[in-house]
Amino acid sequence: MSFGRPPSISTGFQVTPPNRGSFPLDHYEFMTRYLECLNRNSNASSECRHLNRDYLNCRMQNGLMEKDEWKNIGLADVKCDSEESKGAGVK
């Protein structure tokens, strides 16, 4: 074993996906809406958090990530855009 070097693949190194999936850039519709929102708000991402909630709701509803409470994700105080998002997650 050598410090400062990544582990060897032969020792069983496994790549694992992110816990909550990747952020909106993996889907064109959400990516364009999010980037437009950032442009309108001088790149202030806090103004675009409603899009984050809609995106994560879509992932939860389609089984691409585990359903979780909005407060655990940090979006409990964010109002949702879509009707579907209102009932998403575990409240």
Side-chain angles (χ1 to χ4, degrees):
M1 181 170 161
S2 175
F3 291 102
R5 188 179 79 183
S8 173
I9 291 177
S10 63
T11 62
F13 178 75
Q14 270 189 313
V15 177
T16 57
N19 290 338
R20 299 192 191 274
S22 56
F23 193 63
L25 300 179
D26 68 346
H27 192 280
Y28 187 75
E29 175 192 350
F30 285 103
M31 177 188 69
T32 54
R33 287 175 51 206
Y34 188 74
L35 292 175
E36 287 171 0
C37 181
L38 286 176
N39 285 333
R40 279 192 313 270
N41 294 293
S42 302
N43 292 323
S45 62
S46 60
E47 299 295 324
C48 305
R49 293 183 73 215
H50 64 286
L51 295 173
N52 297 351
R53 184 172 173 146
D54 285 346
Y55 173 74
L56 292 176
N57 174 59
C58 178
R59 290 188 67 85
M60 285 189 263
Q61 295 300 320
N62 290 302
L64 298 173
M65 71 178 273
E66 186 176 310
K67 289 187 179 185
D68 200 349
E69 295 182 26
W70 291 119
K71 67 178 182 172
N72 294 340
I73 301 173
L75 296 170
D77 60 334
V78 177
K79 293 182 181 177
C80 50
D81 280 351
S82 65
E83 287 296 317
E84 299 161 357
S85 188
K86 291 178 182 172
V90 180
K91 294 190 178 187

